Amino acid sequence: MAIQAAASSSLSFTKYRYDVFLSFRGEHTRKSFTVILYEALRKKGTNAFIDNRKLGKGERIAPSLLKAIDKSRVSIIVFSTNYATSTWCLDGLAHIIRCKKEKN
């Protein structure tokens, strides 16, 4: 299940469900930097999406996660030492880049 902040923000537009999508390698930053960033965004009234599921090795990125990227105005990528060793992170990053190119 994903944690979501439902707050109004100046970044919100009707075609977006989230102001910000946070992309991160869970085992490295979930309990430190990323959750602090998420809470700070939420306190400022930003509707942020953070996925809190632990992903098993070899699992594919969930369609709901790709949809959350599609429905986000901005993505913040939290790079960590092993971010690029995760196929989930790389698949999500590739989708973020596609959305940037297609939707700007």
Side-chain angles (χ1 to χ4, degrees), residues 66 69-70 94-104:
L66 297 176
I69 293 169
D70 289 338
H95 194 74
I96 289 167
I97 292 168
R98 268 193 304 280
C99 287
K100 168 69 174 133
K101 288 180 181 177
E102 293 172 6
K103 301 176 187 180
N104 197 22

Side-chain angles (χ1 to χ4, degrees), residues 10 20 26-27 46 50 53 69 86 95 101:
S10 59
V20 177
E27 67 188 67
T46 301
I50 186 171
R53 291 174 286 181
I69 293 169
S86 165
H95 194 74
K101 288 180 181 177

Side-chain angles (χ1 to χ4, degrees), residues 2-63:
I3 300 171
Q4 301 160 17
S8 63
S9 166
S10 59
L11 289 177
S12 292
F13 296 102
T14 54
K15 68 179 182 175
Y16 298 108
R17 182 169 180 192
Y18 307 103
D19 297 315
V20 177
F21 177 90
L22 295 173
S23 174
F24 61 99
R25 179 78 189 257
E27 67 188 67
H28 298 116
T29 67
R30 178 186 314 279
K31 295 180 181 175
S32 57
F33 180 79
T34 304
V35 76
I36 293 168
L37 174 60
Y38 172 78
E39 291 297 329
L41 290 167
R42 193 172 66 85
K43 285 179 184 174
K44 291 291 185 180
T46 301
N47 183 13
F49 178 93
I50 186 171
D51 187 44
N52 68 353
R53 291 174 286 181
K54 284 191 101 177
L55 309 173
K57 188 171 183 154
E59 287 185 72
R60 295 185 50 120
I61 192 164

